[in-house]
Amino acid sequence: MSVIYLDNNATTKVDEQVIQAMLPYLTEFYGNPSSMHSFGGQVGKAVKEARAQVASLLGAEDSEIIFTSCGTEGNNAAIKAALAAQPEKRHIITTQVEHAAILNVCKQLEKQGYTVTYLSVDRKGQIDLMELEAALTGNTALVSTMYANNETGVIFPIEQIGLRAKEAGAIFHVDAVQAVGKIPLNLKTSSIDMLTLSGHKLHAPKGVGALYVRRGVRFRPLLIGGHQERGRRAGTENVPGIIGLGKAAELAQVHLKDVQREKALRDRLEQGLLTAISDTEVNSDITQRLPNTTSIGFKYIEGEAILLSLNQYGICASSGSACTSGSLEPSHVLRAMGLPYTTLHGSIRFSLSRYTTEAEIDKVLEVMPPIVERLRAISPFNNDQADWLQGREEALAH
């Protein structure tokens, strides 16, 4: 049975061209890029080229790119550097729908005496800029938001957020792990001070990422040790991973021109499901979202049951973030959006890639209606119970 992979916001297939670019640095060119001899020096030149490839994708300068191990490291480094640069300021602003790599850092910082404001989102997953303006003070050191949500695909008004952060004298960090490679970026004209990306979300291998730090922004490294990355990130470079990330960034620039194909397939899937299955709805701002992502709520059934049923056909999807999928609790993102209980528990995220085919979408459209019909027939939740269930959910939340 072939796999139909529609979980690309969790991770992506490594592009074959990326693999081929990496292989020589696992076998033939294994020198340390920091070595003085020419054997290591040629590796250093390859790392430099990869840095330029990543910078080009972001619309940044080469010197503004720091290679990391993943998005989580980049987020931690950015937050802690921003606070270290302004030790007199003790306030952070983020949102309720961030990735755990942001939220759990903020929770830890609260225990250390920092005040954190978690901005709410509306039913479409969008923030209120007036709430942001009201939260900003002279004590705000950092505003940290995602570019696009990993569960719903909703894109935040990044430049408007950044301008307000600047007016208040705060550093602006963006977790763009889901956005890089899916929508065009030009950091040269942006208000973003620091931006995080992760290789495995754009067809590079796991274990490599990058952090953009705008020239002139004070940066204290998270990892202390050697001189690597111009003293901003210690540790011998993951050369094969970096080469892979560079190649993936180069390919992403090419494929950005074809992103409308992904969007068309996403829309085909979405409209097909909404038409064929009653009591379904899209969980997002459909006008401002990633072209590859849809989150759909199927009322009165459990998302886990849908995923298990899809798995029998080799179809991979998700009920939320892969980093929280071990929990049976409903998605914190969908909770923050105020979804009703009956939709909250039956929401599925489909995330496409450049490898997704029309035949795969048609297969999902073929098997989903009978899956939902069967699960609803045996579900203990029905329309009559919806109000009671919603009341119970609200009571538990408080």
Side-chain angles (χ1 to χ4, degrees):
M1 179 172 57
S2 60
V3 171
I4 297 175
Y5 190 75
L6 299 177
D7 198 16
N8 288 278
N9 284 10
T11 196
T12 59
K13 175 183 177 180
V14 179
D15 191 290
E16 182 62 33
Q17 293 183 66
V18 170
I19 295 172
Q20 293 305 315
M22 293 172 63
L23 284 176
Y25 296 91
L26 289 164
T27 55
E28 184 178 356
F29 304 117
Y30 51 83
N32 190 315
S34 298
S35 296
M36 294 295 292
H37 48 68
S38 58
F39 185 66
Q42 64 186 337
V43 177
K45 289 179 182 178
V47 169
K48 183 178 180 180
E49 180 182 347
R51 196 183 312 278
Q53 290 168 318
V54 173
S56 179
L57 176 62
L58 299 180
E61 297 178 16
D62 298 4
S63 62
E64 296 174 318
I65 304 302
I66 303 171
F67 287 119
T68 65
S69 64
C70 60
T72 295
E73 182 193 334
N75 286 339
N76 273 263
I79 291 172
K80 292 173 183 179
L83 300 180
Q86 306 166 94
E88 72 285 0
K89 296 184 177 182
R90 307 287 291 180
H91 179 228
I92 302 163
I93 297 176
T94 188
T95 80
Q96 295 177 7
V97 297
E98 298 299 310
H99 190 275
I102 296 293
L103 292 177
N104 288 338
V105 175
C106 288
K107 290 174 184 176
Q108 181 191 58
L109 289 167
E110 285 181 296
K111 294 177 182 178
Q112 297 175 13
Y114 285 88
T115 301
V116 182
T117 299
Y118 299 92
L119 301 176
S120 63
V121 294
D122 62 19
R123 181 63 178 74
K124 294 182 177 181
Q126 279 291 1
I127 68 165
D128 182 347
L129 290 170
M130 292 183 66
E131 183 183 1
L132 169 63
E133 290 174 2
L136 284 163
T137 73
N139 191 41
T140 305
L142 172 70
V143 176
S144 179
T145 72
M146 52 181 31
Y147 205 119
N149 189 268
N150 49 305
E151 295 190 29
T152 64
V154 171
I155 298 172
F156 282 162
I158 290 299
E159 293 309 319
Q160 295 180 60
I161 296 170
L163 290 173
R164 286 161 175 78
K166 292 296 172 205
E167 290 173 358
I171 290 175
F172 183 35
H173 165 249
V174 174
D175 177 352
V177 164
Q178 290 296 340
V180 173
K182 297 172 186 171
I183 56 177
L185 300 176
N186 185 2
L187 297 182
K188 286 187 176 71
T189 60
S190 174
S191 57
I192 296 171
D193 292 312
M194 292 188 278
L195 178 142
T196 305
L197 68 89
S198 183
H200 76 104
K201 300 301 173 79
L202 61 147
H203 304 286
K206 299 168 184 65
V208 65
L211 175 63
Y212 160 84
V213 180
R214 179 181 294 283
R215 181 188 295 274
V217 172
R218 286 183 289 169
F219 184 83
R220 181 180 295 178
L222 177 68
L223 298 181
I224 306 299
H227 64 276
Q228 293 88 354
E229 297 300 292
R230 297 175 64 199
R232 297 176 298 178
R233 198 272 186 183
T236 302
E237 297 90 343
N238 169 15
V239 173
I242 289 170
I243 300 304
L245 177 56
K247 185 63 178 179
E250 178 187 273
L251 294 172
Q253 280 192 281
V254 175
H255 287 288
L256 277 172
K257 302 171 186 175
D258 302 324
V259 75
Q260 288 303 311
R261 190 192 73 86
E262 282 178 48
K263 180 180 183 298
L265 288 175
R266 188 274 311 275
D267 292 347
R268 177 187 176 93
L269 172 64
E270 190 173 87
Q271 291 306 312
L273 293 174
L274 294 176
T275 301
I277 304 172
S278 62
D279 291 319
T280 60
E281 59 183 281
V282 178
N283 307 320
S284 73
D285 180 349
I286 62 172
T287 65
Q288 296 293 327
R289 58 175 171 164
L290 296 173
N292 79 314
T293 306
T294 182
S295 172
I296 301 178
F298 300 89
K299 291 185 178 180
Y300 315 124
I301 52 179
E302 293 286 340
E304 288 75 14
I306 299 173
L307 293 177
L308 289 172
S309 298
L310 287 172
N311 188 59
Q312 294 177 354
Y313 295 94
I315 299 170
C316 305
S318 172
S319 58
S321 169
C323 296
T324 57
S325 61
S327 170
L328 293 177
E329 287 296 310
S331 154
H332 74 284
V333 173
L334 302 184
R335 276 180 177 270
M337 291 167 63
L339 294 189
Y341 181 92
T342 47
T343 301
L344 186 69
H345 284 265
S347 290
I348 300 297
R349 179 190 70 189
F350 298 98
S351 47
L352 288 61
S353 80
R354 60 179 179 253
Y355 296 109
T356 305
T357 67
E358 190 171 328
E360 290 175 333
I361 296 302
D362 288 344
K363 183 63 177 180
V364 177
L365 292 174
E366 174 192 330
V367 304
M368 273 296 290
I371 286 174
V372 173
E373 182 180 6
R374 176 177 60 82
L375 292 175
R376 282 180 176 166
I378 61 175
S379 174
F381 310 133
N382 56 46
N383 295 22
D384 296 332
Q385 295 174 302
D387 291 341
W388 179 83
L389 287 167
Q390 183 65 22
R392 178 176 177 273
E393 183 77 2
E394 292 172 355
L396 288 173
H398 292 90

